[in-house]
Structure formats: C-alpha cells, structure tokens
Amino acid sequence: MAECESYYSSNIALESIKVIAESIGISTLSDDAAKELADDISYRLKQVIQDSAKFMNHGKRQKLTTSDVDHAMKIKNIEPLYGFYSADHIPFRFASGGGRELFFTEEKELDLTELISGHPVKLPLEVTLRAHWLCIDGVQPTIPENPPPISKELQKVEAIDPITKLNKTSKEKGDTSGKPAIGKFHKLRNVETVHVKQLATHELSVEQQLYYKEITEACVGADEGRRAEALQSLASDPGLHEMLPRMCTFIAEGVKVNVVQHNLAILIYLMRMVKALLENPSLFLEKYLHELIPSVSTCIVSKQLCLRPELDNHWALRDFAARLMAQICKNFNTSTNNIQTRITRMFALAINNEKTHISSLYGAIEGLSELGPEVIKVFIVPKVKLIAEKMDANISGTDKVGVGHIKHLLVKVLTPILKTIRNPPDSLEEYKNDYGSLGPGLHGSVIKARLSANQAQPTTITVNPQSILQSGADILLSQTPAKAIVVGSTPRHQVINPSVGNTQKYVIVHSRPPPSPSPSQQAGQTQSQKPMFMTQQSQPRMETEDHL
C-alpha cells in the first residue's frame, strides 16, 4: 500500500532531489532539506501546470501543449523552456574537454552581400482574425461574409407579384408611425395605383453606386488582375440583386455600341460578365432575360464582330456565347416562356436564309449544336447539303476562312450523330449525294469513328455447351496474325473475349472421334453437332470446319 502511494504521489521523491543536488556538487544534503525542497518544487510545478491548463481551456483545446507551459511560465516572470513551440528558442551546442563540460550558443559569420542579393525568406502563415462590418447604421452591408439580405425565392416572388413588396413597405411605414398600415394600403391601392411601379424600382446607396462604378470599370478595363477580381465578385457576392437591372442594362448597351464599333475585346469582356452573373447562385435573372438574350445572340450571329474578320479570332467569341445561350436555355426554359424553342427557331431561320453571311451561318450552326444531339438531328442534318452548296459558292475570296471553320465544325458535331443514324457499310457515293461537298470529309470521319469504337469494344463469343458435349471437339480460336488460343474439351459453357481485329477465324478441331449416337438420337444429332457462335454483328454466323 505504501509503495502504491509513493508511486502515485504528487510530490517529487527525496531521492530525486538528492540526485539533482549531487549533479551540482552538493553531496551532503540532509533529508529535512531535501524534503523542504521537494515540497516547494512540487508546489511550483502544480502552479505552472494549473496555469497551463487555463491557457489550454481558453484555447478551446483538449490537449496540453508545450506552448501552454511557456505562456504559464512567462506570466510568472520565469524564463520559458526551450522547445519547438517557444519563440525564444536558442540552439545550444555542447562541447567537452579537459574535464569540463560547456554549453554555448553558436555565432556564425554572416555575409551582408549574400543577404542583400538573396531572396527574402517567406514567413510562415499564422492564424489571423479578419473583421468585417455586420451592420452599419442599422443596415447590413452586402458582402460575401454576411448572409444575403433577400433570398432568391423572395426575389422571384417580388418579380412575379410586385404587390407583395408594396404590402411590405406599407407595413414597415405603419409600424414606424405607430398606426396600422392596413387602411393606408387599401387607400393607396384604390386611389393611387400608379405608385406600385415606382415602389418596385431600386434605389442605390452611395456605396452601391461606387461599387457599380468600380465593378463595371474593372470588367471592361485593361487590368487583368482587377478584371478577375471583379468577375469573381459578380459570381459570388450575394447582395447584387438591387443593382442587377443596371448591370444587365450596362451589358446590353455595351454590346450594342461595341458591335457597331467592331470592338472584339470589349464584347468578350461583356460575355464574361454574363457568365459570372449566371454562376451567381443568389441572383434571379429570369426577369432580365429580355436584355441578356439579345446581347448573347448578337455575339453569336452578328455579321462582323471585329475590324479584321480574316485575322482576329472572333470564332472563339461565337463559341463562348453559344455555350452561354445553351446554359440560359437549360436554366430558364419552361413551358410558359419556351425560351429554347424560340432560340432554336431563330438559329434555324438563319440557316435557311440564303442571304445569311458565312460568319452568321457559323454562329447559327454553333448555337444549334450546343443545344443537344436531338436539335442537331432535326435542324442541321437535313440542311447539310444546302450548307455545302453555300460554302462552295463562297469558297473563294474573303470568306475562305469562314468556310474552313464551318467545315471543321460540321465534321466535329455531325460525326457522332451520323455514326448512330446511318447503318454500315458507309458508301462514299451516298455521302456525296446526301451531303454534297461535305460528304467525303464526313465519310472519312464516320469510318474513323467506327474503327476506333470497334477497337475499344471487345467482341463476346458464346459457345453452345451441348454441341461440345456431343461432338467431343476442342475449340481453337485463331485471329490473324495473333497466336491461337485453345479452350479445353470439357463439356461446359465457355465465354471467350478475344482482342478485336479486322479478321477473325473460328475452327473446330476433333481431338477424338465422336461417340456413335443411338438410332433415337440420330434425328437430333444433325443440328446439335454444329456449334453456334454469337458475335456482336447484325446477324448470327455459323461456321464449322472438320480439319485445320
């Protein structure tokens, strides 16, 4: 019992004090003095540990670290322990010789030229606190750290029924004046209903006006860093709904002006603004599509978007705007507005019009191709021959570059469609008759796609086990020029997946004479002796051979 108490005792043992005393040259230390020292040291250690635990609790941690001990010793004006977490860590070096032991700090000679010419040392990142305004004069600022003041669902309700906003405003006025607002609301609705439209408009504060000015200048400015930050703000800030109508008007007016001036760079920046607004999850854009859709459509099918159409890459802008239009149709198409139907009709009319410019024709084809494979089947495939004839008429001159882009686009988007709707074998003459001058290019691309698909997909052969049982034959699967694969003659179901090649040969080799059938089995043996090979072709094939 005494041993257990001494083992779990919270005081330092006397033997430890005597050993420490002997290490510093005190060999005759009495037991009473050692006991006093042990009690005092134990008391001091308990104080340090209790203060360290306080630092641990205030740090919301469950584990005591050496930094907590250092902080506890600093508040008692004690030199902290030297450890990995101490800011006052000094690396000591040990040296001995001549019967003496020495601990010293190493001082290195520093070359100032190396320090000046070298790169500055990067400081490690520490945990920091960042403050932001939660409320200014009773108004919550619209910054990403704060929740959005108006949810997307409430924006949608106010857009559909502006009376709800009027009711909310009248109620707030009645609460501030101390009088009920019901009578005021009915009086206003019956007498001056024209105020409904005025109350639905948004009034921007000075800060919002400054933000609008800075964000628009950055989006169309020359500084790429500021532009990236501005687009990130448009895509993530939750409080942009009040200035959203002005943003859409800025985009619409900017597209009108810069299309006339053939300013390709500004048009690209404006389309990037549209993309950022579409990616913002807190914005309700449906009531502003009447400004966004014409702007995006202009960048797709406009006749000229830049000063030098034969040199500038305005095709990339048309591709990007077509992807934006497909995203708009995907997010906002409903049975009531029929956005995708109306957009598809617009592009289809541009293709059917004989006077459509080559650049506009490319934009219409790209816009339809982004809407999905079904749209391509219905609106592009039947018009390929007409498009080819128009390309042949404009192949010489300034439209040569546009003709090349249209040909590359059609081959890219029509190849997977034609591979599915046309059955092999593919005839070059049929492609020429159906698709005109585009036929040879589509024919070669479709054949190449079929070959790559056949090489990527293995062929499965199923062997009838009854035929193996009755014929007693080994199956020899050979593929020229690969080596043969032999499957044993055990009467069981075999499924073989060989590598696919252009030529396959299946050979039946009799390793032993088949058993003589009984008279009752001769009638059915004729059909059972021939094994059936089911391949991934349009019709099953039966092949038998009695010799190599």
Side-chain angles (χ1 to χ4, degrees), residues 368-370 372-377 380-381 384 407-424 426 431 435 441-453:
L368 289 175
S369 64
E370 292 290 340
E374 296 300 326
V375 176
I376 297 175
K377 292 179 184 178
I380 297 182
V381 174
V384 174
K407 182 177 180 181
H408 177 72
L409 174 63
L410 287 174
V411 170
K412 182 181 70 173
V413 301
L414 292 180
T415 298
I417 304 299
L418 296 180
K419 189 181 70 172
T420 57
I421 65 177
R422 297 183 71 97
N423 295 325
D426 298 301
Y431 273 75
Y435 308 121
L442 293 174
H443 177 264
S445 181
V446 170
I447 290 180
K448 185 177 179 181
R450 292 189 194 278
L451 291 177
S452 60

Side-chain angles (χ1 to χ4, degrees), residues 29-327:
L29 184 65
S30 62
D31 294 341
D32 295 337
K35 184 177 181 306
E36 294 293 334
L37 289 174
D39 294 341
D40 186 68
I41 293 173
S42 300
Y43 172 73
R44 301 297 179 186
L45 285 177
K46 290 178 182 179
Q47 279 188 327
V48 171
I49 293 174
Q50 289 176 358
D51 292 338
S52 303
K54 292 179 182 178
F55 281 102
M56 179 189 69
N57 294 330
H58 285 291
K60 307 298 182 182
R61 286 181 282 104
Q62 300 293 330
K63 184 178 180 180
L64 188 69
T65 62
T66 56
S67 60
D68 298 329
V69 179
D70 288 344
H71 295 324
M73 298 180 71
K74 281 184 178 180
I75 63 175
K76 295 183 175 299
N77 294 326
I78 305 175
E79 186 178 3
L81 294 175
Y82 298 116
F84 294 104
Y85 295 97
S86 175
D88 302 328
H89 172 64
I90 301 176
F92 285 102
R93 291 193 61 183
F94 170 75
S96 62
R100 298 184 61 185
E101 294 180 353
L102 180 63
F103 295 89
F104 65 95
T105 58
E106 184 179 6
E107 296 181 357
K108 296 181 180 180
E109 294 183 358
L110 300 178
D111 189 359
L112 296 180
T113 57
E114 294 182 359
L115 295 177
I116 295 174
S117 61
H119 295 286
V121 180
K122 293 183 179 181
L123 297 178
L125 297 178
E126 297 182 356
V127 179
T128 57
L129 297 178
R130 181 173 177 269
H132 65 88
W133 289 103
L134 181 63
C135 187
I136 302 176
D137 295 334
V139 179
Q140 175 182 291
T142 54
I143 56 178
E145 288 78 9
N146 290 335
I150 299 180
S151 62
K152 192 172 182 179
E153 290 75 13
L154 186 57
Q155 296 179 42
K156 184 176 181 180
V157 171
E158 292 181 359
I160 297 174
D161 187 12
I163 295 295
T164 57
K165 184 174 179 61
L166 177 63
N167 189 9
K168 180 181 177 181
T169 307
S170 301
K171 184 177 179 180
E172 291 177 354
K173 290 183 178 180
D175 293 340
T176 54
S177 60
K179 299 179 181 180
I182 301 177
K184 292 183 179 182
F185 171 68
H186 284 291
K187 183 178 180 182
L188 181 61
R189 185 177 62 179
N190 295 331
V191 180
E192 298 179 358
T193 56
V194 70
H195 286 287
V196 174
K197 185 176 181 180
Q198 296 178 0
L199 289 175
T201 59
H202 300 285
E203 295 295 336
L204 297 182
S205 62
V206 178
E207 293 80 6
Q208 290 174 332
Q209 295 176 16
L210 181 61
Y211 174 83
Y212 172 78
K213 178 177 178 296
E214 293 292 333
I215 209 75
T216 52
E217 290 179 356
C219 286
V220 297
D223 190 351
E224 183 62 30
R226 287 189 62 199
R227 185 183 305 111
E229 293 179 359
L231 293 175
Q232 179 64 27
S233 177
L234 289 179
S236 59
D237 284 354
L240 299 179
H241 62 280
E242 292 186 356
M243 61 186 72
L244 185 58
R246 291 165 176 80
M247 289 285 184
C248 297
T249 304
F250 173 81
I251 294 172
E253 296 298 327
V255 170
K256 291 179 183 178
V257 173
N258 290 278
V259 164
V260 175
Q261 297 179 356
H262 308 309
N263 195 337
L264 180 63
I266 300 299
L267 292 175
I268 294 175
Y269 299 155
L270 293 174
M271 290 299 102
R272 291 175 67 183
M273 289 182 65
V274 175
K275 182 176 184 297
L277 293 177
L278 289 173
E279 291 177 351
N280 195 323
S282 63
L283 296 181
F284 179 71
L285 293 174
E286 188 170 355
K287 62 179 180 179
Y288 306 109
L289 294 179
H290 65 282
E291 291 182 330
L292 295 179
I293 290 180
S295 302
V296 179
S297 303
T298 301
C299 294
I300 298 175
V301 296
S302 181
K303 180 179 178 181
Q304 186 175 353
L305 297 174
C306 55
L307 295 175
R308 300 176 299 174
E310 67 279 359
L311 297 178
D312 295 335
N313 189 13
H314 61 96
W315 315 102
L317 173 60
R318 299 180 191 273
D319 297 341
F320 181 65
R323 289 192 292 270
L324 290 180
M325 184 63 72
Q327 185 177 355

Side-chain angles (χ1 to χ4, degrees), residues 379-405:
F379 292 96
I380 297 182
V381 174
K383 301 294 181 181
V384 174
K385 191 171 183 180
L386 179 64
I387 296 172
E389 294 176 354
K390 187 169 185 178
M391 291 169 57
D392 296 338
N394 295 274
I395 197 170
S396 61
T398 58
D399 296 334
K400 185 176 180 181
V401 179
V403 170
H405 280 84

